[in-house]
Amino acid sequence: MQTVELIKRKRDGHALSAEEIERLVRGFTQGEIPDYQFSALLMAILWRGMNAQETADLTLAMARSGEQLEVRRTISPVVDKHSTGGVGDKVTLAVAPLVAACGLPVAKMTGRGLGHTGGTVDKLESISGFRAALSREEFWSILRAHQLVLAGQSNDLVPADGKIYALRDVTGTVDSIPLIASSIMSKKLAIGASHLLLDVKVGSGAFMKTIPDAEALAQTMVEIGTRAGVQTAAVISAMDQPLGQAVGNALELREAIHILQGKGPADVTALCHHEVASLLEMTGLAANREEAEASVRQAISTGAALDKLAAVIEAQGGDARQAQEPALLPAAPIRIPLPASRAGYIAGIDAERVGLAAMKLGAGRFKKGDPIDHATGLLLFARIGDQVEAGQPLLEIHARTEAQAQAIQAELLSAYGWSDEPVSPGPLIYGEISSGAGAF
Ligand code: URA
């Protein structure tokens, strides 16, 4: 069947077969199907959706477009974790070394920031000399030596996703559950861990703005992982305000180090402990939640988790002293507090607006290839539900210049919603989905 016939079939709401999807993905990745035809197909998928079988077939076709590491064939169990992205989301930086320090190997390929959401590689590159681009041999030798590797996304892994994502970005076809699920899961399947924990964010700073959408995305990804033989679970967690206090690369890395030292902010610390405990339970390394939580506490109190992060940083060319002494991380020359414009209870903090303001300080990229200023960002002092006085600092702006800091003040103030009555913050974790079972 001609490509145009397949586009029309999807346009009219019919399902495509595994062979047809494979042909479309291969044809586009190899340059035989032009952008205009693939764009039309993406738009048809966005409007018509895909059933579970089609979404799984699309994911597998994308995963097969490049190299497949299949790490679980060499080391098992070996875990992977992935967040759908948010503002102030430094969870991977703390969870990965914590899990490894508890004796569970972690093979993590991690990305750069996407839009207002930060990326783990950018945060790690705050460290002098840190290299995320690893050869295959380096990837394996670091994983074997430290039970942890934090590699950047290789171009050989899922080239189809690189091409398709670039087209989605400019054709208004990012916000589609089958397309997001296949994009994320194709990369996870190409790595091929034995167990995968997904953190699906929901709220103003996330791709998914509503709980039903987040549940649908989580369910779709768990089903794809399970069908492909990866034991997969998803946590649905709040992104209705930035996570923790820090937004910005070195600031977030410093906060992750604080979590590993047992002195991180309560919300992000609780989420990190929950995710580590879930992974320890999923793999059978802990018999129950109490045992898992005891392992987490031990990895922190003995310093094993921070030592693990420092060792991996060193193995990847970075200055390990910066992990042990975060005061050595890059710091912005200008620090300006942002006073509250009124007294009251904080009813909302628009995480996307906060993320965009941090990008304007240089903490993120407006277009691919833009340089990052690792030192800049924001430190938030107040959270939803807090009562503040007029003039009390809501946050601190860490900027390269005073003009940059002043330029974002009004925008930041507009991110705050207020109430005269006490406000109860929503839950941090809405629920968890594991293979075939929901827990809402
Ligand atoms: N992250 C991805 O890797 N892909 C998407 O489509 C969205 C978020």
Side-chain angles (χ1 to χ4, degrees):
M1 200 179 283
Q2 295 289 321
T3 301
V4 64
E5 295 305 323
L6 297 177
I7 297 169
K8 284 195 216 166
R9 288 251 310 279
K10 186 38 63 190
R11 179 199 68 188
D12 296 339
H14 302 294
L16 300 175
S17 70
E19 296 71 40
E20 289 166 341
I21 290 171
E22 175 84 38
R23 195 147 58 78
L24 287 163
V25 169
R26 197 171 346 102
F28 178 60
T29 311
Q30 294 176 355
E32 288 149 15
I33 296 178
D35 283 6
Y36 55 81
Q37 279 193 309
F38 211 80
S39 305
L41 177 72
L42 291 170
M43 191 56 85
I45 294 172
L46 182 131
W47 278 105
R48 290 297 192 169
M50 279 185 142
N51 64 32
Q53 187 63 51
E54 285 178 290
T55 310
D57 291 338
L58 175 60
T59 309
L60 289 173
M62 288 168 70
R64 283 194 289 257
S65 69
E67 189 183 356
Q68 288 177 276
L69 286 178
E70 296 193 285
V71 286
R72 67 178 180 271
R73 284 183 187 260
T74 309
I75 301 174
S76 191
V78 57
V79 304
D80 191 0
K81 87 142 281 267
H82 183 86
S83 160
T84 55
V87 179
D89 183 359
K90 66 284 291 174
V91 169
T92 295
L93 290 169
V95 165
L98 264 168
V99 169
C102 291
L104 189 54
V106 183
K108 180 82 188 112
M109 280 222 181
T110 186
R112 297 197 178 274
L114 267 181
H116 66 279
T117 66
T120 301
V121 169
D122 294 327
K123 293 168 201 179
L124 283 165
E125 284 177 352
S126 306
I127 293 183
S128 324
F130 182 85
R131 262 187 327 111
L134 302 177
S135 68
R136 249 340 125 253
E137 294 67 40
E138 286 175 314
F139 179 93
W140 280 109
S141 78
I142 294 169
L143 177 57
R144 283 203 179 92
H146 301 285
Q147 296 78 50
L148 172 62
V149 62
L150 297 166
Q153 195 72 50
S154 140
N155 291 335
D156 304 332
L157 210 79
V158 200
D161 181 59
K163 274 198 87 172
I164 295 172
Y165 195 90
L167 200 55
R168 286 169 59 208
D169 215 14
V170 294
T171 55
T173 52
V174 169
D175 316 334
S176 147
I177 286 175
L179 295 179
I180 295 174
S182 55
S183 165
I184 292 173
M185 290 303 291
S186 59
K187 289 173 281 201
K188 300 290 115 189
L189 298 190
I191 295 163
S194 58
H195 296 74
L196 168 65
L197 182 67
L198 300 159
D199 180 2
V200 177
K201 300 278 184 210
V202 58
S204 59
F207 279 108
M208 297 294 115
K209 306 289 183 203
T210 67
I211 293 171
D213 278 352
E215 269 179 50
L217 178 62
Q219 191 72 55
T220 305
M221 293 197 292
V222 168
E223 260 178 56
I224 295 170
T226 308
R227 278 171 191 242
V230 179
Q231 199 176 319
T232 308
V235 177
I236 299 190
S237 71
M239 185 37 69
D240 53 346
Q241 61 182 326
L243 193 56
Q245 289 193 313
V247 179
N249 299 287
L251 291 170
E252 288 190 45
L253 181 57
R254 190 178 72 169
E255 189 166 288
I257 293 166
H258 287 163
I259 297 166
L260 297 178
Q261 292 172 325
K263 54 181 194 187
D267 64 329
V268 63
T269 297
L271 183 59
C272 290
H273 288 207
H274 180 91
E275 292 193 10
V276 179
S278 294
L279 281 164
L280 295 180
E281 273 195 277
M282 265 171 92
T283 48
L285 233 78
N288 51 44
R289 197 47 56 154
E290 291 70 47
E291 206 177 295
E293 280 166 7
S295 294
V296 177
R297 284 195 297 274
Q298 200 190 7
I300 291 174
S301 63
T302 57
L306 185 56
D307 287 348
K308 185 63 82 180
L309 179 66
V312 165
I313 285 171
E314 188 165 315
Q316 296 189 214
D319 180 352
R321 286 173 316 150
Q322 289 176 306
Q324 303 285 5
E325 258 178 86
L328 298 175
L329 287 168
I334 305 292
R335 292 176 194 191
I336 295 181
L338 180 74
S341 52
R342 52 163 284 179
Y345 295 90
I346 297 180
I349 307 176
D350 184 327
E352 183 167 359
R353 232 180 267 189
V354 172
L356 286 169
M359 279 171 77
K360 289 183 185 162
L361 295 172
R365 299 181 185 81
F366 283 93
K367 56 180 190 325
K368 209 174 159 196
D370 278 351
I372 290 262
D373 189 335
H374 292 100
T376 58
L378 305 163
L379 268 188
L380 281 73
F381 303 134
R383 302 190 58 73
I384 294 177
D386 287 355
Q387 185 179 20
V388 298
E389 299 301 328
Q392 187 178 324
L394 291 173
L395 55 81
E396 189 173 64
I397 302 172
H398 289 227
R400 191 56 56 190
T401 66
E402 221 150 296
Q404 257 181 356
Q406 272 155 13
I408 58 163
Q409 289 186 5
E411 182 177 347
L412 280 170
L413 280 176
S414 73
Y416 286 78
W418 294 93
S419 166
D420 293 325
E421 305 302 325
V423 172
S424 349
L428 178 67
I429 296 170
Y430 289 102
E432 237 176 284
I433 292 178
S434 54
S435 308
F440 281 88

